[in-house]
Amino acid sequence: MVIRGLPRGLARDAWWFGADEGGGGTLRAGDGAGEGGAGRGRGLALLLLLLLGDLLFFGHPPGLSLALYAVAIFAVAAAFRRPGAPLLGPALVVIAGALPVVEYAQFLALLFLVAGLLAGIVWMHRGPGAGMPAAMVALLGRVPTAGPRALGTAWQGALRRSGKGSAARAWLRAWAVPLGGVLILITLLADANPILAGWLDGLLRFQPDLGVILRRTLLWSGLGLIVWPLLDPAPLVLTEKARSPRAQLPGLNPQSVSLALVLFNLVLGVQTVLDLAILWAGGSLPDGMSHAEYAHRGAYPLLATALLAGAFALAARPWLEERPALMPLMALWLGQNVLLCLSALLRLWLYVEAFGLTYLRLYAAIWMALVAAGLVLTFWQIRQRRANSWLILRAAALGVGTLYLCTFINFGSLIAAHNLAQGANRDSFYLCELGETAAAELVYADVPCALDIPETYGWRDWGFRKWRISRSLQAQRYGAGL
């Protein structure tokens, strides 16, 4: 007898349907017959991935091994995809996410690796769409619980199918006292029986390295918890929430937006004129204030002002559609804030010229450029009457794309090269703190500090950036005759 349409969860858990007592017929429940085989296949795949993880990571620093392991996880997950599911697109996403780790193993590169792997698996199982980010978060949220839950379910099912739960309790009741008594007797007789004592000494001399066993257990457990949900993802179907009516901030109305735009532009115009006179036209500063101090005091407040400008533009957008005459004022408002971002960049550049380049100052410059680009996008969104989702998607793509490109740039080398070119103004202590990524520039300039030379101990921790730095150092030593 065949029952069509039985839920998969019931087909998987209803193990008693398969019992064939007294020669009766076997009840097949939908596609549940293949569920056990798929589960066993995933279990074997998990074991192979754990063995591969032990080979790649145990006792070895991470590097190229991270990218190889992510590709292996995706390849195994692809073996269990549904027929006709996309493969090429998800595979390219996984490879793109792994490239930053191949360049240099760092935290940001690891984030892109995880994001690329999650995106590839979600795309493969549910197809591309607007719900992919939420599905990726849902899949990531299953990592802590999916493995233990599947293990507990499998163990309980095995006990039910074999009927060994009650048998195990009966075995313990029958053998607990005899075995315990035998162990006690062996311990007492060891002193009187030299042969037995010799056997026990031989057993005790076999002492495995408990530290290695513990580290391997932790590695395998951690990998199992992470990998299993990726091999057996839950149905990634997200229900769309009902759209709530547009929320309006208190205090915003056509009249208040009009007055705010006029007053904001006037106040910002004063700042814009001062910046043009001092920064761009070379005007004089107040007595006792240097250009470096002027730049340091104004860079970050101007950036905060630009961010608030973008938020106000989005909040005021509904009334711009009602009053088209406000559009020129909004364009002037956003344009002045873009000019503020450029002025903040110039202030930052003046400060860097006086005191040198650092990671924080370089990141601040990138952030200022992103804010300026975001303000331009905001104006274009308002002018073209695009939805807020249009702006959010493109702003997110701009930010993620910038971060992705940053993973391929050796900022330590750039900072060292710039500061070394400043000559007497260079900060030797900060240069020594840049680490191994600036080793080639520091060795070439003969900076007196203990350098961390990048070392590669094998193919597992190989990285393209470390390889380039090592080649540069070797070329310098060869040219110096060392």
Side-chain angles (χ1 to χ4, degrees):
M1 182 174 64
V2 178
I3 296 180
R4 302 289 184 187
L6 193 65
R8 179 172 296 182
L10 180 60
R12 181 171 58 249
D13 297 333
W15 50 270
W16 59 85
F17 284 175
D20 188 6
E21 298 179 0
T26 301
L27 183 64
R28 293 184 291 114
D31 59 351
E35 192 71 27
R40 288 190 294 270
R42 290 191 181 95
L44 179 60
L46 176 63
L47 179 60
L48 293 177
L49 286 174
L50 293 180
L51 291 172
L52 178 61
D54 188 278
L55 173 66
L56 292 176
F57 303 124
F58 188 77
H60 302 285
L64 181 63
S65 54
L66 292 170
L68 295 177
Y69 198 60
V71 172
I73 292 174
F74 176 78
V76 173
F80 299 100
R81 74 187 191 280
R82 70 181 187 279
L87 182 59
L88 179 59
L92 293 177
V93 169
V94 174
I95 294 174
L99 287 179
V101 174
V102 177
E103 162 65 21
Y104 187 67
Q106 54 183 326
F107 180 72
L108 184 59
L110 183 61
L111 290 181
F112 276 107
L113 178 69
V114 173
L117 180 59
L118 291 176
I121 291 177
V122 169
W123 185 355
M124 184 172 56
H125 283 281
R126 71 183 300 274
M132 276 190 62
M136 291 166 58
V137 173
L139 180 57
L140 187 62
R142 294 184 63 244
V143 169
T145 59
R149 187 182 303 169
L151 186 62
T153 302
W155 176 256
Q156 293 175 3
L159 290 178
R160 286 196 301 265
R161 285 191 296 270
S162 61
K164 290 182 179 180
S166 58
R169 289 191 293 269
W171 186 89
L172 286 176
R173 285 195 299 268
W175 285 92
V177 174
L179 288 178
V182 166
L183 293 175
I184 293 174
L185 286 175
I186 290 176
T187 303
L188 295 175
L189 293 175
D191 292 336
N193 190 331
I195 297 177
L196 183 59
W199 290 348
L200 292 178
D201 290 340
L203 290 176
L204 293 177
R205 280 195 297 268
F206 177 71
Q207 297 179 357
D209 191 342
L210 297 181
V212 173
I213 295 176
L214 178 60
R215 291 196 302 272
R216 268 204 162 92
T217 301
L218 293 176
L219 175 64
W220 283 51
S221 301
L223 291 177
L225 289 174
I226 294 173
V227 171
W228 177 254
L230 305 181
L231 300 183
D232 185 23
L236 301 173
V237 179
L238 302 175
T239 57
E240 294 187 1
K241 299 181 180 179
R243 294 185 178 179
S244 58
R246 184 178 63 190
Q248 296 182 357
L249 296 178
L252 289 183
N253 52 66
Q255 185 177 5
S256 66
V257 170
S258 302
L259 293 174
L261 284 175
V262 172
L263 294 178
F264 290 173
N265 276 303
L266 288 176
V267 173
L268 204 60
V270 175
Q271 178 63 44
T272 301
V273 171
L274 291 176
D275 278 342
L276 289 175
I278 297 175
L279 294 175
W280 303 94
S284 60
L285 290 170
D287 294 337
M289 178 177 290
S290 64
H291 278 279
E293 183 181 356
Y294 179 73
H296 184 262
R297 290 179 58 179
Y300 297 107
L302 292 180
L303 183 61
T305 302
L307 288 173
L308 292 175
F312 176 76
L314 291 178
R317 181 189 171 188
W319 291 275
L320 297 179
E321 297 177 355
E322 297 177 6
R323 293 190 177 185
L326 295 178
M327 186 62 71
L329 289 175
M330 179 59 71
L332 179 61
W333 167 246
L334 292 176
Q336 287 197 90
N337 278 277
V338 171
L339 187 58
L340 274 185
C341 290
L342 298 179
S343 297
L345 275 171
L346 182 56
R347 287 173 181 250
L348 183 62
W349 176 254
L350 293 174
Y351 191 75
V352 166
E353 287 295 307
F355 296 101
L357 188 62
T358 64
Y359 277 110
L360 182 60
R361 294 162 194 167
L362 186 57
Y363 296 159
I366 296 173
W367 175 243
M368 291 174 186
L370 281 176
V371 171
L375 291 174
V376 174
L377 279 176
T378 302
F379 173 74
W380 187 255
Q381 177 235 5
I382 294 174
R383 183 174 180 81
Q384 297 297 320
R385 301 179 184 272
R386 303 281 187 178
N388 287 343
S389 58
W390 180 92
L391 176 63
I392 293 173
L393 179 62
R394 280 152 183 80
L398 180 64
V400 173
T402 302
L403 289 176
Y404 186 77
L405 291 177
C406 287
T407 60
F408 297 96
I409 300 175
N410 188 350
F411 288 112
S413 176
L414 290 178
I415 294 171
H418 180 274
N419 291 350
L420 288 171
Q422 287 187 321
N425 292 331
R426 71 185 189 185
D427 185 352
S428 298
F429 177 78
Y430 183 77
L431 289 173
C432 294
E433 294 294 322
L434 291 176
E436 65 177 18
T437 57
E441 285 72 18
L442 298 181
V443 169
Y444 180 78
D446 197 18
V447 178
C449 59
L451 296 176
D452 294 328
I453 304 300
E455 296 184 7
T456 302
Y457 301 96
W459 58 270
R460 296 173 180 86
D461 63 319
W462 185 89
F464 186 46
R465 185 176 303 176
K466 294 167 66 174
W467 177 80
R468 295 198 309 270
I469 295 173
S470 299
R471 288 289 300 270
S472 178
L473 291 174
Q474 292 176 5
Q476 291 180 28
R477 290 169 182 162
Y478 179 77
L482 299 178

